[in-house]
Each structure stands twice: as structure tokens, then as C-alpha cells.
Amino acid sequence: MAKNAPLSKQEARLIDAYWAATNYLSAAQIYLLANPLLREPLRPEHIKPRLLGHWGTTPGLNFCYAHLNRLIQARDLDMIYIMGPGHGGPAAVANAWLEGTYSEVYPEVPQDETGMQRLFRQFSFPGGVPSHVAPETPGSIHEGGELGYSLAHAFGAAFDNPDLTVACIVGDGEAETGPLAASWHANKFLDPVNDGAVLPILHLNGYKIANPAVLARIPEEELVQLFDGYGYNPYLVTGDDPAKMHQGMAAALDRAFDEIAAIQHGARTGKVHERRRWPMIILRTPKGWTGPQEVDGVPVEGTWRAHQVPLAGVRDNPEHLAQLETWLRSYRPERLFDDEGRPTAELRAMAPTGDRRMSANPHANGGLLLRPLVLPDFRGYAVPVDKPGTTSTEPTRRLGAFLRDVITANPDNFRIMGPDETASNRLGDVFEVTDRVFTGERHESDEHLAANGRVMEILSEHLCQGWLEGYLLTGRHGLFNSYEAFIHIVDSMFNQHAKWLKVTRHLPWRRPIASLNYLLSSHVWRQDHNGFTHQDPGFLDVVMNKKAEIVRVYLPPDANTLLSVGDHCLRSRDHINVVVAGKQPALNWLPMDAAVLHCTRGIGIWEWASTDGGADPDVVLACAGDIPTLETLAAVDLLRQHLPDLRVRVVNVIDLMRLQPAGEHPNGLTEPEYDALFTTDKPVIFAFHGYPYLIHRLTYRRNGHHNLHVRGYKEEGTTTTPFDMVMLNDLDRYHLVMDVIDRVPHLGGRVAHLRQRMADQRLALRAYTREHGEDAPEVRDWTWPY
Amino acid sequence: MAKNAPLSKQEARLIDAYWAATNYLSAAQIYLLANPLLREPLRPEHIKPRLLGHWGTTPGLNFCYAHLNRLIQARDLDMIYIMGPGHGGPAAVANAWLEGTYSEVYPEVPQDETGMQRLFRQFSFPGGVPSHVAPETPGSIHEGGELGYSLAHAFGAAFDNPDLTVACIVGDGEAETGPLAASWHANKFLDPVNDGAVLPILHLNGYKIANPAVLARIPEEELVQLFDGYGYNPYLVTGDDPAKMHQGMAAALDRAFDEIAAIQHGARTGKVHERRRWPMIILRTPKGWTGPQEVDGVPVEGTWRAHQVPLAGVRDNPEHLAQLETWLRSYRPERLFDDEGRPTAELRAMAPTGDRRMSANPHANGGLLLRPLVLPDFRGYAVPVDKPGTTSTEPTRRLGAFLRDVITANPDNFRIMGPDETASNRLGDVFEVTDRVFTGERHESDEHLAANGRVMEILSEHLCQGWLEGYLLTGRHGLFNSYEAFIHIVDSMFNQHAKWLKVTRHLPWRRPIASLNYLLSSHVWRQDHNGFTHQDPGFLDVVMNKKAEIVRVYLPPDANTLLSVGDHCLRSRDHINVVVAGKQPALNWLPMDAAVLHCTRGIGIWEWASTDGGADPDVVLACAGDIPTLETLAAVDLLRQHLPDLRVRVVNVIDLMRLQPAGEHPNGLTEPEYDALFTTDKPVIFAFHGYPYLIHRLTYRRNGHHNLHVRGYKEEGTTTTPFDMVMLNDLDRYHLVMDVIDRVPHLGGRVAHLRQRMADQRLALRAYTREHGEDAPEVRDWTWPY
């Protein structure tokens, strides 16, 4: 077979027919309510009242799918398909149905005329399926609503899956986004020995909603330079003549898969060590290919007008109706489907079978492949605590030791992602047993770099998040560690992943996957050296807007509680766990047994720190987060000294969701439970890690909420000292004492002096800091004295 | 002069001395408390107790600065300097001080030994200046805390500034981020005729915090291909020998500025029309260049160990102290500064003067150059409203007509940014008078593309935001229009800009700039067709965490109120205004006079919709947002029909900040004002556009908060119909009636039947929707009947 015409006539005819079938099924999803096989002339009542969907990208997606199927069959490939232009939802549904998967997953939509009618009707129809590729779509790990993450997901899926190939369509619109532009460099993090392959297919159809796409409007020379520069070997397939394009695409794919095989063979037999240029395809086809060329006298195919619905108002416009019928009949459905509406035998034979179907590949339903992590007993990493608050530990460093052994026990299905902060966040023990993944050039002064490692660091939170999502969605485990402030960079990705999980919860065929775990360290209260830009605890507010069944927020106050929380998160499924923990040396409060108990409860009275004798406090001092806990206990210490008769209760909160009413969150305390901790009528001074409003938002329905006074970060910061940070935000121990004085009734005149003393003391400490450039010893070296 | 050695010996010596001076001033900022000129041997007490700062990138920043100064002098250039590696704050401060600007802005830090000592002491010192380039730094429009936005800021600054050159240092760490990777393509949006020039200098110093940088570890061939592919003409300057590097950099800059001049000349004389390759520099130098080569036996210069403080523990480690002294003395401060600590005359002569100094360029303090917009009278675009709720208008389309004329009246200092959604958001009238900026290839089927236009569209919210920030910070005006859900993509950029504005509020020398205006359309309640991924109103929650003095949120319920709000936002300064408005046809409620009054108040009783006769309601129905307002008024209509005796008050909220206590936000209502609207004891059913918790968060301290019941988006969505969306979230008119029944006491048994009827009705409407695929006519065609 000629290299430029690798398909026999028969092969070419069949691929074209398969493509026509998926194009027909796609267009019909957008338009038809009834008459699915066009057995009768098209009438207005066959047409949906609202025409929704994106035709423009769909034929290109179908084209790639059909060609990749040929490769899967010819080479017995294990492949999944990521549709960056996920607005082309009809394509994914059409292919899944044609392969039979759709009817297996949704038996109410069988592979016959009845099923076809349902398939068309349900698309973008109330009670039906979304217009984009979505969790409901078999074979997908990638929602196509928000653009930018397809290639990161693809690489995430390929890591540690040496036999998998991930085909990833990147739309030229999506290619303009930042995350996608950075994602091309993921080829410097792919190990050809232990990872699978990613085949990016950049699909230039020229237009976005109303604008040309940037990459479609640069000279071909620049385009090739760009992808050469990104380290790929690009193959261009350009045109609009299907016959030529089938041969061109087949030839390009043959070459690409030959190259992939050669790269993997070279690396896996130890012959080649340097990074190689992986192949990619640049496919340039008209937008809305095979659709109406002209509508109402203006060109549509090949222009931005083909983006969504090329023919509008079809019910009321007989000309458009006729044009739609001509368009749909141009695929000749009668040759594609038999009398019962089943795809013809020769078409069915074109699709791979069983798990080889991209729509049925278990990697795209990762829960099917999920192996629980082998977890060492986290109690073995405990800090001994004889007395609370007398010794110090860097909590994340302790967690790092645990994670090190998690890595050892799970060498091929657990990764840690982070934007170059794993060591800075003091998880460095992991480098005793693993390296950072990097396949770029290496120098002598580098440390812990290797092609195969468990730690992935790139200065892009987007890539860290996207890689981890792809890794989790294909059935593996991981952790994303980040500076707290900059996790906001992926707010939107978090939102979309939470939405994905929420939907999968209601799809029994989607098996649970490992939770997405965030470890936020280098947090607001200890970025005093980096300054205001590094001080932002607001990610928690974003998280709390998502569905209660999905999100969890933990604020362990010390090393042992962090270990317990960490273990819990690594075992959980289908959640997004956010853990905020300090990396600086911090007092240890709880021995491990008490820590486990406290974490299991998620919230509790610290009797050893309280002075209410277990009942009837004058005031409740609540705290959530390591620094608020420290300041609260220091405040209790001051109160013990200066107001020894005051009955103080200390409540520590680890699991923030416990504060919500039980009816709103599965972890929420019942009303009696809440009242038993916080009382219904006593003042509560709540020292919180984040913005104080969040606590109010969680508790506004609680009894005694009018007595709740919250201190937290109120957006005051700069480059200064740790204590100055809490002072600037009135979260410091002296201010907490002042809050108690202001809110506990009947303390009488005896405390006016004490209040003044507290106010003076904090000003004196600020003066010390400004004089000496560091915190005063009484703050720095403070320990809990009881 | 030879092309490869353009500097005379004398010039080379002077540039090197200037560079040494800034390096000395930078290192000394990190280390010294006293002994600024090293007049005596260095002793521990001269050293700061906490060593903070980032040395690694600093010498490279200083190197570029010194060389750019030469070009400014030689060619009388108008240039600003953006430091992507903004952690190198010492460099910016050092140069500003050496140029004299620092002492002009901060007279307490004069250009002498006293000033030098203060300069060193204050750096990263409590009460002093931040460790990063910050608003406090003269000459900066770019905070260096969060990485990724330098190049977008640079292009934003260059738009409509034809005589300006923006030099932009891009660190190899930052270059890994998504936003930066996409920003290179901004050269397809720069008009060589009417815009200025951007000179990117990619600074490869090889390492991030602990890792090599990706672009530093690809073969030079790939590196060049990459930037060729991005459409630049890259000049490489590589080495560590200062003498050679000075000549190499000077030669590269000479060529680059020759090319810039040629491109601009060609375009401005009409000789060249096609897009040209703009020059860029790739500068490869050792990290921590000129710093300690080895510390404690391990290499530091040229490695990741030079990232922050190359010598630690200097106070306690005599060896490190000695090494520091050697390092500092290696710059020979005695030849750089005179006896009074002033820079020598020959150094001072190296710096440009007046506004030509990059640290004093007025473009970097944009408020100095700000011209107020010429605004047409927005009342002229009013929709006539004889009776409330009987006619429909697309609000954003009306705003588009206003914006069209804003553009006409302000042809060179107002731009609209959006990710390809300006037409989709129905602002299309602007294309009557302007085009979309695009300098890539153009095709016949394109519409409204031109090199010079007022609308900038790229499918990257990051670039839209970054460009607009750069544009505003240099003294111009603009608007960012986006789908509501995807504005989360720039949460973090919003945060950083809000922080920047907050700090500038306390710097009198920074003049107020135009507000950053977001128009969020295609919002949660009308993305029924696009589905769950497009449904997210949570940006408001992110916004509310920032300082009250900076942020504003407006929810105009119809076209006339949107016009009034739009006008207000375009006139405001130093704010971030978020406007959420619909693009679908929506009922008009207020004639323009009433709209202006309502917007001025920000909140008010709609007497014409209320049935409480101006006093003593049984229930308050509050609403904020267009769809909640619609559903509320439809609920009032139902209540009028079915419970004609019920005294209902309707309160509409446009300015969300009015709900906050007056003590917390300048727009907040006083307690009596609030109580007069909402009562202190009657049930309030609040229909809100966003997540309901936000209203609780704003009002938890208000009287009667326990009577407040909020309906809003509770994260339920899919591809469905508009009414189904409100129904899924219990925000629909029938549910609001049910809420009233459930909460107003003493309605008695007579309403049980009504409640059931409402519940049945909503189910019937859902059934209709699922049967017909569209909303029932009674919902679709509903108008306010009074």
C-alpha cells in the first residue's frame, strides 16, 4: 500500500460510511424529535422546539474517532479519547451508540430505531442528556464545558499506564487558553518506559464562536515551528475532500503510531535515554464540515456561522426545513442502518469490541480499575506528646514521612503534584524514596530528578490540577500540595471537578474514584515573609459553595491530627478534601490516640485546656486552624492568669463541615450536639483560619448565633512577622482576651485595667517587632504551661 | 563600533559599574541593618535577624535595567519595565533609588548614607517595604507575588500608547504558567501603528525554587523554534562573563530596537501591512550571578540554592559572615558611592532623567495620565416603560448601544475585553463603530476584524484580564465581559488586583485609576442550554472577601437600571465593579427616572408591586438579580390572586453592598435604614441570584435575621429549560409562594389547598417541559399584569 494512500478502496469506503453514520447521528441529535430514519419526509413536528448543540466541531471529532478505531483494530491498541472541544457532545454520544456501549450502559436506549429516536430526543432535552461531553457520556473522563484542560487530563491519564494511548483532540479555540498553551510542555514529564503515550490532535477548524482562532491564522511555517519548539513532531493533515482526507489521516496516524511504538521500544529496551519528539497531528478541516454550505445566501460551512446550529428556525422556515432534510439525507442513512435501525453489519464490524471500544474502555471509568492504596499505619509516625503544647513539630514534615512510605508501598498508582513547592512545604522526606519527574536535560547540580518519579512539579497550578484529575479519573490516587493563596488559580478547575463528581454520584455505572486531596500549606498566617500577595485563605469559601456530598474541609491543628486526617483523606472516595496545615514548627497538642478520636469526631471540647469543669462555661473559645488554635490557647493561658475564676471552654474544630446543620451536610452536627458544645446562650469567641464570614455562613441557623463572634483574616497583611500578622487581623491572643472581656457580662470594673493591659501589650509587641525585625521572645517561645 | 562589541571600553566600564551598584544595593537590602557602606568590618549586629528576599533573579533584573537605561539615553525612549520575576523586589528598589526617584517619592529615604541605611533596613522589615515588587515600588505596575501575568500586563500597557516601549522580563519559572504560555500570542493583537512596542526578555536562569525550569532544559534548537513559532525573532544572549555579556546584551538590544523602529516605521508610513516578527531577547545567565559561588562546600551560584538567600545564618556563622563581607566588597562600593553615600557623578549620569527614568515614568503611575471618559448621557438609551413588566428588552443589548457611543467618543483610551463573547453577550452594537483587534491572517468570511479596534477577544480569560489590568494601570478605561461561570478562571487575578488597589489607596503618590469593570452575562439562570458546567454564580463570593473599600457588586434587574449602573461604573475610580446582567429578553420594570433613583439608592421598596400600602407588611419579598426579580414579581402576582388580603412588600436590591452593616462597607445601610426596608419582625423571603449563603453572610448581624429565608442557586443544574432551572433550585414563583405560606403566621387552614396547588403547578410545568422540550407558554409569556 502506498505510504500516502494506506487505505484500500474498501477500507476508505467503510471509514467514510462510519464517519457518515456518526455525522448523521450527531446532526439528528441536534434536530430530530421523531422520524429518526427519515422514513417519511421531514415535517415541522419532527423537529425539536429548541435547537441546541454545537455542530461546528462535531464532524472533525467523528472523523478522528473513526480513524482511531481503525488503528485500534489494526494494532490492538488500548486507547481512550479525550474531546477537548467537548461542546461537540453529539459526537461522543453518536460513537458510543454506534459501538453498542451506549445501549449497554443505558438499556432504555437500545441499538435500534426506538433507541435511535430516544437518543435523538434526549439530547439537550429537559430530562435528557447535556449538550456537552459530560459524566453521563460513556468513554469520557473530560467535561467539555470549560475549555483548557484536555491535554493536561490526557497526560494525567497516561502516567503509569504504559500500555495506554490517550488520543486528545485539542480545539483551536481551547488552544488559546493559558492552561492548554502550557500543557504542551507536559511531554517533558512523560516517561516512555513506565507511562503510556499521548497523541495530541490539534484540530484547526478556524473559528471560535464569532472569531477566527489564533493558531488557524498563522503561517504554516510558524505553526510547525511552534510545535517543533514544543518538542513534538507534527504531521499536518489539511483539506476538505473526504477521500483525500481519509488517506491523509490514515497515513499520518500510521506514522504517528509507528513513532510512538519506536519511542517506547527504544526506551523500554534501554537503547534510547534522551527525550524524543513525540508525534502529534495537526488536522485542518472546515468548521461544520459536511454540513450546509450556505444558508440564506451567506456561507456557513467553513465559517464561524457553523459553530452551533447551522440552520435555525427550522420548524417555521420551510426552506430551512428542506435544507435540513437534504443535509441529513446526504449521509444516506438507508445505507448505514438496517430496517430495524441497527447499524449495518459492516459498520458494526468497524468498531472495536469489548473494552477496546473507546466508549467502553475501563480507563475512562477509572473506578473500575481502582486499587485501594496500601497504607502504612499512620500511628507509626506519631509525635509523642506527654503534655499538650510543650514540644514543637513541623506538621507537614511528619506527614512527609508518612507519604514517603505511602509511595514505597504504592509504586505505580500514587503521585504527588505541586508547583515546585513539595520541599518548601516540607514534604521532602519523600525524596528519600522517589524523585521528581523530569525528562528534560539534566545537570550535575540537579537533585532528585528522574524520568520516573512520584513527585510532579511544574510552576503551573493548572497543570498540577489537570494532571491529577486525569490520574484520578483513570483510577489512581494522589495529592496536590500548594501554597494556600495560589490554589485560587485553579478555583475554576476545582469547580468543574466538583460538578463532575456530583453528577457521577447519580450514575451507578460510574464507579467511585479516589478523592482529590489538596494539602494547602504555606498558609496565610505564615506568609509573613512573602507578603500580602501570598496571604489569601479564600479558597475555602469557593469550596463551600459546592455540593455538601462532595466537599470536605479539614483544619488539623498539629502534627498528629494532620497524620490522622491525611490517612482518612487517602482512603476516601469521590470527595474533594481540602486540608490546611502548617509547615512551620508548631506546638503539639494531642497524643495520637486523642488525635484520632478528635479527628473522628471532627470537633470537640478540649477539656484539658478548659476551665469550666465540663459544664456551664462563662465563655466558649472556639478555634479552627493551627494558628487560631495557638492564639486561642495562649489567650486561655492569659485568662487563667488574670481571671482565674472565669469558666472557659475550648472547642477545637477540625472538620469544618461539622458546623453546618445536619440537614445540610452529612457531616453536620445535629442541633443538640451543637448546643452541647457551644451552649445556646454563652458568648462564643471563634478564632478562625480564614475569612470570618465563612463561620457565620455555616452557623447562621444555629442556636445562639447572635452570641457568636468570629475573628479571622480580614485582608490585612504585608511583609512582616508572624505575630504581627495575627495582630493586624485582631486574631492575636491579647485581642481574644479583649473580646472575652467585651462580651462576657458581669465581669465588672475589675477588668478594665486588664483590657488596657492587653491593648498595651499588643502595641508593645508591635513596637518590638518594628524595632528588631522579629517577634519578641515571649511570642516566639511561648508554650502551653499546664 | 563593531556590531558584536557595540560598547566602548568606557561605556562597558560604566554599565558594569552601574550594574555593580544595583547588585550591591540589592544584596545589602537583603542582609544589612547597618554599616551600609561597609566603612567598618562587618559584624553580626549589622545583619538583619531574619534574612528574607530572593537574590537568585535579582542580578539578571539589574543587568537588563542597566542596559535598557543605555538605550533610553541613546534613543530618548519612553519605556517602562515590568519585572515578571517580581520576587526580585530588591532590584526594583535599588534602581529606583539609584535613579533618585525613590528619594523623591519617599523623602525620608534620601540619596545618601542615611537614606541608604534606611533603604536597607526597611526591606522586608516589619513596617518597611514588601520583599516583592509591589505597589509601593516606584515604576511598577506589576506585583511580583503571583506569577504568570507579566507579559499580559506588558501588552495591556502598550495598547494605544504608540510611543511607549514596554520591556518585560519573563522568568523561566513564570514561563511555565498557563497564562504566560498563552501571553506570547498577544503579538497577534498588537497594532504597530497605534500601539506601542513590547520587548520580552526571557530570562533563563535555570531554576525555580528547587527544580530546573523547563525552558532552560530544552535544546537551543527547540527554544528558538518555539519562539519563532510564537511569531518572534529571538536574540540569544548567553554566558556568565560580564565583559562579554555586556557587549552581547548591548548588541542584541541595539538590534532589537532597530527592528522595533523599522516595524513601526514600515507600518506607520503605510509601507508594510502584514504582521511582522517582533524581536525578543533570550538571556541566559547563572542564577544568583555575581553572588557566592560555593557555600559550605556545595555550589550556589548557578543553582537552585541561589534562589532566596544564598548565605543563611550569617549572624551566628562567622564563616558565612566573612563570605558575605567578601561578596559585598566584591562590588567595591567605595568606587560606586561617594563619601556621603551618594552614587558617584558618573553613575548618576548613567541614569535617564525626569520622566524618562523607568522608575518615574508616568505610565507606571497611570492615574497621572488618566483622562475621564467622555460619556454620552445614558438616559438617551432608555427603554420607555409606561407600565412595569409589560414590555421586554435584552438589557445587555441596550448597554451595547451605549458602549458603542462611548467608543466613538473615546477612540483611544477605552477597550472592551472578552473571551469571544462580546456578540454572544449581545453587545454587538459596538461593531457598528469598531472592530475586533486581530493582526493574524484574515479571510473573506471574517467580520469586524482590524489591526486597530476597541474590542479584544481571545479565548483566554487570563489574557482578557491581564490586558485590561495593564491598560487600566497605565491610565485608561475598560470593561471585561464574560460568561458568569467562567470568570472564576481569573479568581486569583481578581484577588491580586484587589490587593494592589487596596495598597495603593494608602499611597498618596499613586493617583487613582479607572475601576476594573466586569460585566457578567450569560449567567447561571440562562445557561439552561449549555448545562451544569456553565452554571456558577460563585464569583460574587470571591469578590466579597476583598476589602470593602475596593469591591462593588451590582445586580440591575432590567435594561434601564443596567444603563444607569453601567454609567456609574465607567465613572468610578479604584474600584472593582462586578455587574451581573441578563442578555435574554427580560421585562422592563422601571422607567429611566425611577431607574436612576433606584440605582442611586441601590436598594428600595417597589411600592407599585407591593400591597402593604407603604406600611406594616405581613411579609417582605426581597430580590436581587434579574431572574429572582422576575420570579418574585410573578409570586406577588400569584399572591394577589390567591391571597388578596396579604400585605406584601417588595424590596429590590441592586447594590449588594447595601445589605452590609454601615460599619463594614461604605455603601452599607445604617441599622434604621435596613429595618425600615425589611422590618425587624416580619418574615423575609429573599430571592437571590447567587448562592444563598452570601445573603446570610452579609446580613447575619441585621435585626430580624432569624426571619430571613433565602432562595438562590444551590448547585442544581443541567441542560434544560429556563424555568426548570429556577425550579430545580426552588427559586421559582410557585415555591416562593409556598415559602410565604410556610412562614407567614396565622394564614390558617385556608392556604393548605393553595400550597398544594402551587406544588402541583410546578410539577405540571416540569412535566410540560419534559414532554415538549420548552417552557410552557404561561411561564414564557408571563408579564406583570398591573
Side-chain angles (χ1 to χ4, degrees), chain B residues 219-440:
Chain B
E220 193 162 291
E221 179 201 4
E222 275 183 34
L223 191 64
V224 171
Q225 285 169 337
L226 183 63
F227 289 98
D228 282 348
Y230 270 127
Y232 292 88
N233 188 18
Y235 290 99
L236 280 83
V237 182
T238 302
D240 58 7
D241 173 351
K244 288 185 192 152
M245 290 296 284
H246 286 308
Q247 295 292 357
M249 187 68 173
L253 284 175
D254 279 345
R255 281 191 211 123
F257 279 93
D258 288 348
E259 275 178 38
I260 289 172
I263 291 171
Q264 291 180 334
H265 182 77
R268 292 175 190 184
T269 54
K271 284 178 198 144
V272 183
H273 296 284
E274 64 272 21
R275 179 170 64 82
R276 292 283 301 277
R277 286 177 181 272
W278 293 88
M280 68 168 290
I281 311 276
I282 299 177
L283 173 67
R284 197 191 290 264
T285 67
K287 187 150 187 156
W289 198 13
T290 74
Q293 285 190 23
E294 229 185 74
V295 178
D296 300 332
V298 292
V300 170
E301 190 197 29
T303 81
W304 49 272
R305 295 186 192 89
H307 182 70
Q308 295 190 15
V309 176
L311 288 161
V314 180
R315 274 190 164 192
D316 306 317
N317 183 329
E319 201 180 315
H320 285 195
L321 183 69
Q323 217 176 339
L324 173 62
E325 181 158 5
T326 307
W327 169 23
L328 291 175
R329 289 199 191 278
S330 75
Y331 300 115
R332 292 193 286 140
E334 65 284 0
R335 69 171 170 150
L336 306 170
F337 307 101
D338 67 19
D339 278 353
E340 276 123 49
R342 281 171 59 77
T344 61
E346 64 176 16
L347 281 194
R348 277 183 283 129
M350 294 286 292
T353 54
D355 287 357
R356 283 294 188 250
R357 296 171 294 179
M358 292 192 285
S359 59
N361 192 303
H363 292 287
N365 184 3
L368 290 172
L369 303 174
L370 186 72
R371 288 173 284 137
L373 284 176
V374 178
L375 290 175
D377 185 352
F378 66 95
R379 293 171 192 81
Y381 306 83
V383 182
V385 180
D386 292 336
K387 289 185 187 174
T390 50
T391 59
S392 285
T393 302
E394 296 158 316
T396 53
R397 196 176 295 284
R398 211 75 184 181
L399 185 73
F402 173 66
L403 292 173
R404 173 197 61 209
D405 298 343
V406 173
I407 285 172
T408 303
N410 303 276
D412 65 350
N413 64 339
F414 176 74
R415 292 201 181 206
I416 295 175
M417 315 282 174
D420 192 25
E421 292 161 1
T422 304
S424 169
N425 285 329
R426 309 209 180 161
L427 303 174
D429 280 5
V430 300
F431 297 118
E432 292 172 15
V433 299
T434 192
D435 298 302
R436 300 177 177 99
V437 179
F438 192 61
T439 60

Side-chain angles (χ1 to χ4, degrees), chain A residues 17-61:
Chain A
Y18 201 91
W19 182 44
T22 49
N23 284 340
Y24 178 79
L25 292 169
S26 299
Q29 284 180 73
I30 295 175
Y31 283 98
L32 298 188
L33 263 185
N35 192 15
L37 284 163
L38 299 183
R39 290 192 202 264
E40 44 182 326
L42 206 52
R43 294 198 307 274
E45 61 268 30
H46 300 147
I47 307 297
K48 296 184 179 183
R50 296 180 88 201
L51 297 175
L52 303 176
H54 292 77
W55 167 250
T57 185
T58 298
L61 292 171

Side-chain angles (χ1 to χ4, degrees), chain B residues 437-458:
Chain B
V437 179
F438 192 61
T439 60
E441 295 168 4
R442 277 181 247 157
H443 296 176
E444 213 173 300
S445 54
D446 297 338
E447 289 191 346
H448 302 302
L449 295 189
N452 181 27
R454 300 292 96 195
V455 179
M456 306 203 63
E457 301 200 313
I458 186 168

Side-chain angles (χ1 to χ4, degrees), chain A residues 772 774, chain B residues 33 44-45 47-49 51 312-318 321:
Chain A
H772 297 272
E774 59 185 350
Chain B
L33 264 185
E45 61 268 30
I47 307 297
K48 296 185 180 184
L51 297 175
V314 180
R315 274 190 164 192
D316 306 317
N317 183 329
L321 183 69

